[in-house]
Amino acid sequence: MSISNERLALRGVVFLLIIGLLAPSAVSALTYDPSQQTSLEPGTVTSPANGTTLVSVQGYTFDGNTNPKKPARVVSVGERGTLQWKYNDSVNGSAWFFDADPLPNGNLLVSSPRGTDTVVFELDPDTRERVWEQRFDMEDTHDVDAFGEDELLIANMREWNDSAGVSEDRIVVYNRTTDEITWEWYFKNHFPADTDGGYNADWSHVNDVDYIGDGRLLLSPRNFDQAIVVDMESKEIVERLGTDDNHDVLNEQHNPDWLVSENGTPTMLVADSGNNRIVEYAKEDGEWVRTWSVGSDTLNWPRDADRLPNGNTLVVDTLNHRVIEITPTGEVVWEYYATWGPYDAERVAHGDESSGPTIRDLNASGSYRITGSANLTAGGDGSVGFVTRVQSTFAGTPLEEPMSGLSTRLSHVLPWLRPVWMTPWDLFWAVCAVGVGLTATGGELYLMRGRLLDAVRGLFER
């Protein structure tokens, strides 16, 4: 039985459509020049930094193997954006870097997951040698802080009890001298089991824990869309900013910092990652009030924000692969590009976390755009343009809300998955080509179902 002319013509159209959708990827692959790939370099520097800036770069690891073109590293950057040194660690080809904190002795405390474990070590920045290291049976630990003389404060996420079907996510204090956990706090004891849709292997995704004094800890359960303060003695939650799925307040935040204004007002500075902004909240008359917001039209998955003594804020703009220092009104005065996926940045002279005034004390409350960036295309990343284009295309249509959410989510995932020579649009069109191919194949199988069934029957009748 011959195939009709219409079917042949349709196949030709589908073939040409697939070729057209794949063409941008082919052009990018043929024209890609690795020497032009932005890796580590300064952007805008109109105001030199006060000393060294330390940046931890997460890198990209999939199925236990690090992509050498998307390396994990710790980077030391000078006042005017000069690279002082970089520390790479590809033990077993699977090291990531998350929290990297200056210690009082001048060394660095680094959290580095690999496989299903996390290695915590003290790094001498002069020799780039490890002073000591400790391996924990904890997966993907983002934050470990020095706590007293010989203890570590650890945010233990993804602690899944498979046999019980329960999350054991917790905060622990570990004593290095006695090799014992001396204090622990479980999220399951303080949050309903249906939080974030119910227990799962990455239930709380607690990405930060800070000791804020007076026996209290500031925690960031990212997937719960809130930052909480826990009293270590009573183990009760004594402060809470945000609620589960209330994305107007916080949306999958990272690294909240606790500040206190001159008049004693409790304040939180937060990298509001899912909303692509940095926000500050002050507790006034018993309610948390947003006093500052910056970057919602520019940042892409920011994961750290520290207030500096000069009133500026050091921001890690992860999926734009950069660290920026901005004024209270959003002007970039210092900028450094560090691919792939910077996570944490500290101005070493000021120690770990925020050390500056609140926005209220600076009389700068408001919502601001970010201006003054060099706008380099670090890592071949054009994901901000991708999101903006999709959102503008579907604005005012019934698909506006779902497509906006989908494009934002894709912008957070695609930079890790796509090859370095591809732009987000190249990958988008390639995915569309695969979709067209699968749809066409499904249509062909549907139209041929009768002949396929006859062939199967023939096999059984022989």
Side-chain angles (χ1 to χ4, degrees), residues 101-110 121-123 132 145-146 348 351:
D101 295 335
L103 295 172
N105 64 3
N107 291 341
L108 311 173
L109 182 66
V110 182
F121 57 90
E122 181 178 337
L123 182 71
W132 58 262
D145 284 3
V348 175

Side-chain angles (χ1 to χ4, degrees), residues 393-456:
T393 298
F394 291 94
T397 73
L399 295 176
E400 178 178 5
E401 184 172 347
M403 290 305 295
S404 177
L406 176 61
S407 63
T408 299
R409 178 58 62 185
L410 285 175
S411 75
H412 295 162
V413 175
L414 296 185
W416 305 105
L417 300 182
R418 62 181 170 83
V420 294
W421 46 266
M422 267 187 168
T423 70
W425 283 108
D426 292 341
L427 183 56
F428 176 77
W429 297 126
V431 171
C432 289
V434 173
V436 170
L438 292 175
T439 301
T441 301
E444 287 279 354
L445 292 174
Y446 178 79
L447 293 174
M448 295 172 60
R449 66 189 185 284
R451 280 185 290 169
L452 291 173
L453 288 173
D454 289 341
V456 172

Side-chain angles (χ1 to χ4, degrees), residues 31 51 91 123 146:
T31 59
V91 176
L123 182 71

Side-chain angles (χ1 to χ4, degrees), residues 165-220:
V166 173
S167 169
E168 304 284 356
D169 288 5
R170 59 184 178 162
I171 305 298
V172 304
V173 175
Y174 169 79
N175 189 299
R176 291 184 51 238
T177 301
T178 63
D179 189 27
E180 293 177 329
I181 290 176
T182 59
W183 184 90
E184 57 188 344
W185 186 93
Y186 287 86
F187 284 90
K188 67 180 182 180
N189 295 335
H190 301 273
F191 287 87
D194 62 354
T195 304
D196 191 45
Y199 289 140
N200 59 74
D202 189 23
W203 189 45
S204 71
H205 198 96
V206 55
N207 55 35
D208 192 49
V209 53
D210 295 330
Y211 182 72
I212 59 174
D214 299 325
R216 298 178 303 159
L217 302 177
L218 175 61
L219 314 182
S220 174

Side-chain angles (χ1 to χ4, degrees), residues 112-133:
S112 179
R114 63 268 322 268
T116 58
D117 296 337
T118 295
V119 173
V120 178
F121 57 90
E122 181 178 337
L123 182 71
D124 184 324
D126 296 323
T127 64
R128 261 82 79 198
E129 297 291 336
R130 298 183 190 181
V131 178
W132 58 262
E133 66 177 74

